[in-house]
Amino acid sequence: MATKTMKPVSLRNKLKNMTDTNLLLLITIVVFFVMYIGAMLFLGKGFLKPQTFFNILNANAALIILACGMSLVMITGGIDISVGGVTALVSMSCAVYLDHHNGNVFVSALLALAIGLAFGLIQGYLIAYLDIQPFIVTLAGMFFARGMTTIVHTNPFNVENTAFKALKETRVLIPGMGSVNKAGNYVDAYIEIGVIVALLVVAALFVILRWTKLGRSFYAVGGNNQSALMLGVNVKRTKFYSHLICGLLAGIGGYVYFLHVGSGSASHASGAEMNAIASSIIGGTMLTGGVGNIIGTLFGVLSLSTIQNIVSSVGLDQAWWTGITIAAMLCLFLVIQSIVMSRKSTNGLKLPFKKMRKE
Amino acid sequence: MQSRNNTVSELLMKLFRRQIFIPIAALLLLALFNLIADPSFFKITLGTNSAGDPVLSGYLITILDYGSELAILAIGMTLVTAASGGQDISVGAAIAISGSVVLRVLCGSNSRPETLQAPIIVAFLVSCLVAMAFGAFNGTLVAYFKIQPMVATLILFTAGRSIAAWINNNELPIISEPSFGYFGGFIPGIPIPTPVFIAVACMIITALTLRFTNLGLYCQAVGINDKSSRLNGLNPAFIKFLTYVILGLCVAVAGLIKVSRLSSINYSVIAKDIEMDAILAVALGGNALSGGKFNMTASILGAYVIQFLTTTLYKFNVQSDALSAYKAVVVIALVVLSAPIVREKLTALKNSLKKQPAAKEVA
């Protein structure tokens, strides 16, 4: 970050002059590292092994991809809650294609992309060109995808296709990060293919958002629709592209999810859309649009799953604790955002007690 | 002849522009479809239930019965939408919480009580308080912290069902007392399902409130322009807050009906996806989801249309899991038809069609 090379200005000033995007990103990254290092110090054991971190990545590769698409749409000022449904539909369709029709793995990946693209295209068209509320359109998209999943096939089943299984079992070893397991053997640390896809997606989106005209127009449209129009940005097309890319990423994310679980089921990825939104928000993306960062989203997903791991390793392993912790974390970050946004406006945060003082 | 034609078309156009046109048209369309497919859909029979009391049965009664919770939620959701320009997606989770509270109070520490540990009215009032407190939590985040409603309520959406399970220690209490089942079933001797009465009572209370207080006006003012309503002496934050508390009350009523239907609770399934249905009801009613003006009657009608659609689909043996796909198609069709841009284009098309024969006549 550029701040490192700058002359030492007082920290307060530095924070004040930071853009919202950078400040929120900084908060997210700091929170993640504090949490992880805290877990290493106080809980030890599992958290000291690098593999724990890689397992978090393995389990959440799909969520990272979905959350990236979500961030993109949120930066542009929209929302897409169909991603979880698309994930389920992709995994079910691919599973049926591979097992019941003896499909080829490469074609199944294409099928996943096609499903994602189709959702992105239709939803993008309805939202951008017919000016229908994104929430309603993607809500219907979610309903449709979930319903279609059961129409494609009702019962959950595991995929037995050999080529697919080989791909699923493929591990990328990371040298030097291994650990000694209980039996005393040295085991290399590994990641799954999905993680590489996820990291590539993050890198690609980072480049697009930071250095291309399209990326800047996403921020412009999300920040202020009208002024973006005045500046000559094609607002409708930009919105359309954001939903198109999000749909495509939902397709990719769906395939990565499928690769991780290796089965088709109508209840797959239930609530994934909410986790994706939560990760984006924790990563510093605002639903009002115009503020956000892909790297933040990556850390958002990591923070979310780290806290889940911490909660379960502390011993609060009843299912409800996870939900409550995620909600508490989301609440915390929303309040932080609200404070960050109000620090620049002259009125400040309009809390009831502040207002009373003024009157 | 010409002039009469004109007045008829004008009348149609007037109706077409009215907000309530969308739900009515959808309702008529669905009714027509059912009439053609199977006229017995509209048959209502008087039979006796397992307890030997006279009850009405038939698809229409089912719609009125099961649409009650949705209609009650639609009342609160309309106000929230109008004032805050966003929707509360936590109502399903909040129903789970309030239902769980009702059972907890009724059962005390025992999960299979022989007798009720507290009067039902007390349990209901406690659940009202709890649901309103959660409404107040959402309202505070939206009104005072200025967080987008959808995101603020996402918190309760993720945590709600967990909290509901936690309230009852993850046990599934069952109430054997028959009088508890009256709220979601039938009161002996009355052939009409009780939820219908509860829904009607809620509607009357809402109508009176909107008629004799400024609540509706204030909600619209705040929804249309937050700043100018402030300059006119309103307190926008408080009004937004209030709408969420009112929705909390609606949730408590719906929650009571829901748990009474089963005399038990299933935390992950109870009121599943009802938030989506409630939002769709508001949208079907032709209300702008971005806030401002609202039409309560249209919203309530929208809720029954959704239930009508659900029941119709069930009748055609659609699996409950696949239901949503068909619902989505209908919703998209409705929303596209009611989109301002599409409407403009349709009107333009109609005008050009009208002009062509006229031009020919002149020629």
Side-chain angles (χ1 to χ4, degrees):
Chain A
M1 219 180 281
T3 42
K4 272 183 192 164
T5 53
M6 278 196 323
K7 274 184 192 172
V9 197
S10 79
L11 187 70
R12 212 192 156 126
N13 260 343
K14 227 195 259 177
L15 282 179
K16 225 175 190 175
N17 292 332
M18 246 178 172
T19 59
D20 289 337
T21 307
N22 285 345
L23 183 60
L24 290 172
L25 177 66
L26 188 70
I27 293 174
T28 313
I29 294 178
V30 167
V31 164
F32 171 69
F33 278 109
V34 166
M35 221 158 57
Y36 207 88
I37 293 170
M40 280 165 130
L41 290 179
F42 294 109
L43 298 170
K45 282 189 274 176
F47 283 98
L48 290 173
K49 283 186 194 164
Q51 185 58 44
T52 308
F53 178 73
F54 293 124
N55 278 344
I56 290 179
L57 277 180
N58 286 339
N60 290 292
L63 184 59
I64 291 173
I65 300 175
L66 296 182
C68 281
M70 186 69 78
S71 299
L72 189 68
V73 172
M74 276 163 69
I75 286 170
T76 324
I79 193 161
D80 186 341
I81 52 173
S82 70
V83 290
V86 174
T87 302
L89 181 59
V90 163
S91 58
M92 184 58 101
S93 311
C94 290
V96 167
Y97 171 72
L98 283 174
D99 251 27
H100 298 190
H101 302 277
N102 256 335
N104 160 319
V105 175
F106 181 69
V107 180
S108 74
L110 284 185
L111 179 69
L113 288 187
I115 292 173
L117 259 184
F119 270 84
L121 249 163
I122 296 172
Q123 291 178 351
Y125 179 77
L126 291 177
I127 292 164
Y129 291 103
L130 294 188
D131 214 11
I132 306 172
Q133 287 237 351
F135 190 85
I136 287 300
V137 172
T138 54
L139 182 73
M142 179 185 93
F143 270 153
F144 184 73
R146 288 260 175 229
M148 273 313 280
T149 311
T150 41
I151 293 174
V152 170
H153 194 83
T154 319
N155 301 320
F157 66 98
N158 283 329
V159 176
E160 304 296 342
N161 189 306
T162 42
F164 174 76
K165 274 192 140 177
L167 188 66
K168 177 174 153 39
E169 298 300 328
T170 309
R171 302 274 189 264
V172 179
L173 298 180
I174 297 173
M177 296 288 246
S179 53
V180 180
N181 68 4
K182 274 177 193 159
N185 302 325
Y186 181 83
V187 184
D188 262 325
Y190 66 88
I191 50 174
E192 289 173 11
I193 297 179
V195 177
I196 295 171
V197 178
L199 293 180
L200 282 179
V201 165
V202 170
L205 274 188
F206 181 76
V207 169
I208 289 178
L209 279 177
R210 180 143 290 192
W211 286 299
T212 66
K213 200 178 149 196
L214 183 68
R216 277 196 296 275
S217 55
F218 284 141
Y219 282 102
V221 168
N224 191 330
N225 225 313
Q226 290 296 323
S227 25
L229 193 68
M230 299 284 183
L231 287 170
V233 176
N234 189 335
V235 173
K236 284 184 176 173
R237 200 164 64 201
T238 311
K239 274 189 185 170
F240 177 69
Y241 279 147
S242 77
H243 281 276
L244 190 68
I245 296 175
C246 183
L248 185 66
L249 289 182
I252 298 175
Y255 199 75
V256 168
Y257 185 91
F258 178 52
L259 211 55
H260 181 68
V261 295
S263 63
S265 161
S267 62
H268 269 344
S270 65
E273 55 279 338
M274 295 308 165
N275 278 343
I277 295 175
S279 318
S280 292
I281 289 169
I282 292 173
T285 311
M286 299 193 111
L287 246 191
T288 39
V291 180
N293 193 311
I294 290 297
I295 303 294
T297 306
L298 176 64
F299 279 97
V301 176
L302 293 179
S303 310
L304 203 66
S305 42
T306 305
I307 201 143
Q308 280 172 343
N309 276 15
I310 291 177
V311 166
S312 59
S313 65
V314 165
L316 303 170
D317 46 1
Q318 278 107 332
W320 65 73
W321 282 110
T322 325
I324 292 177
T325 345
I326 293 178
M329 196 162 163
L330 193 59
C331 184
L332 177 76
F333 272 87
L334 283 172
V335 171
I336 290 177
Q337 278 194 359
S338 164
I339 292 167
V340 165
M341 281 317 264
S342 60
R343 97 205 133 113
K344 273 178 192 154
S345 67
T346 44
N347 285 338
L349 194 60
K350 275 196 190 117
L351 286 174
F353 51 85
K354 249 188 188 169
K355 209 168 171 191
M356 256 182 259
R357 210 184 301 152
K358 225 188 281 168
E359 276 162 5
Chain B
M1 198 64 192
Q2 183 79 30
S3 67
R4 201 169 148 203
N5 257 344
N6 268 349
T7 48
V8 169
S9 69
E10 262 169 31
L11 204 71
L12 277 177
M13 278 314 285
K14 231 184 210 171
L15 194 70
F16 187 63
R17 284 203 193 97
R18 287 282 292 275
Q19 200 183 339
I20 206 160
F21 170 77
I22 308 168
I24 287 184
L27 198 62
L28 288 179
L29 220 65
L30 277 171
L32 193 70
F33 175 74
N34 275 310
L35 195 66
I36 295 167
D38 184 9
S40 71
F41 188 86
F42 296 97
K43 211 166 76 183
I44 296 174
T45 48
L46 189 67
T48 49
N49 63 2
S50 50
D53 297 311
V55 288
L56 285 175
S57 60
Y59 286 109
L60 286 183
I61 299 295
T62 312
I63 292 167
L64 282 180
D65 185 359
Y66 283 83
S68 312
E69 294 103 310
L70 204 54
I72 294 168
L73 283 182
I75 293 172
M77 192 67 89
T78 311
L79 289 177
V80 162
T81 304
S84 66
Q87 289 75 37
D88 185 341
I89 58 170
S90 70
V91 285
I95 284 180
I97 294 178
S98 72
S100 191
V101 168
V102 169
L103 291 181
R104 176 79 193 177
V105 174
L106 287 181
C107 295
S109 50
N110 184 356
S111 70
R112 301 272 191 287
E114 295 296 314
T115 52
L116 298 182
Q117 303 295 311
I120 294 171
I121 182 78
V122 172
F124 174 61
L125 286 179
V126 172
S127 83
C128 277
L129 281 181
V130 171
M132 279 160 80
F134 278 107
F137 170 73
N138 283 337
T140 310
L141 288 180
V142 172
Y144 298 115
F145 285 95
K146 307 229 179 300
I147 298 171
Q148 284 226 338
M150 229 83 95
V151 184
T153 51
L154 181 68
I155 297 173
L156 197 54
F157 177 90
T158 33
R161 290 177 194 278
S162 305
I163 295 174
W166 174 65
I167 288 174
N168 268 317
N169 275 329
N170 217 4
E171 283 165 6
L172 302 174
I174 294 171
I175 289 180
S176 42
E177 173 80 24
S179 68
F180 182 64
Y182 291 167
F183 297 96
F186 296 88
I187 295 173
I190 299 173
I192 300 171
T194 326
V196 177
F197 292 112
I198 300 179
V200 169
C202 286
M203 284 173 212
I204 291 173
I205 293 171
T206 315
L208 290 178
T209 315
L210 289 179
R211 176 77 184 74
F212 291 107
T213 67
N214 288 333
L215 182 70
L217 182 68
Y218 286 179
C219 284
Q220 300 192 9
V222 170
I224 291 168
N225 194 330
D226 194 304
K227 286 202 180 89
S228 58
S229 66
R230 206 180 110 78
L231 293 177
N232 277 312
L234 297 182
N235 185 347
F238 178 70
I239 288 168
K240 282 182 192 170
F241 176 77
L242 193 64
T243 56
Y244 280 87
V245 176
I246 294 174
L247 180 59
L249 200 59
C250 296
V251 161
V253 177
L256 177 70
I257 300 176
K258 276 275 183 217
V259 283
S260 170
R261 280 191 202 283
L262 294 175
S263 284
S264 180
I265 191 167
N266 184 340
Y267 305 108
S268 54
V269 174
I270 184 175
K272 195 164 176 275
D273 289 342
I274 205 170
E275 52 275 346
M276 307 303 177
D277 279 353
I279 296 169
L280 287 180
V282 176
L284 258 180
N287 300 298
L289 288 178
S290 47
K293 289 200 141 196
F294 69 87
N295 185 336
M296 189 60 85
T297 327
S299 282
I300 293 172
L301 208 58
Y304 284 110
V305 170
I306 300 228
Q307 191 58 45
F308 204 123
L309 180 64
T310 313
T311 313
T312 309
L313 289 174
Y314 272 129
K315 185 177 169 290
F316 285 96
N317 288 328
V318 173
Q319 271 181 335
S320 68
D321 290 331
L323 202 70
S324 50
Y326 298 93
K327 242 185 214 175
V329 173
V330 175
V331 167
I332 282 289
L334 277 169
V335 173
V336 166
L337 277 181
S338 61
I341 293 182
V342 179
R343 274 195 174 194
E344 257 168 43
K345 276 187 184 151
L346 279 181
T347 326
L349 192 73
K350 208 187 252 171
N351 284 345
S352 69
L353 281 180
K354 246 185 211 167
K355 259 176 207 164
Q356 268 173 351
K360 262 180 201 164
E361 267 171 39
V362 171

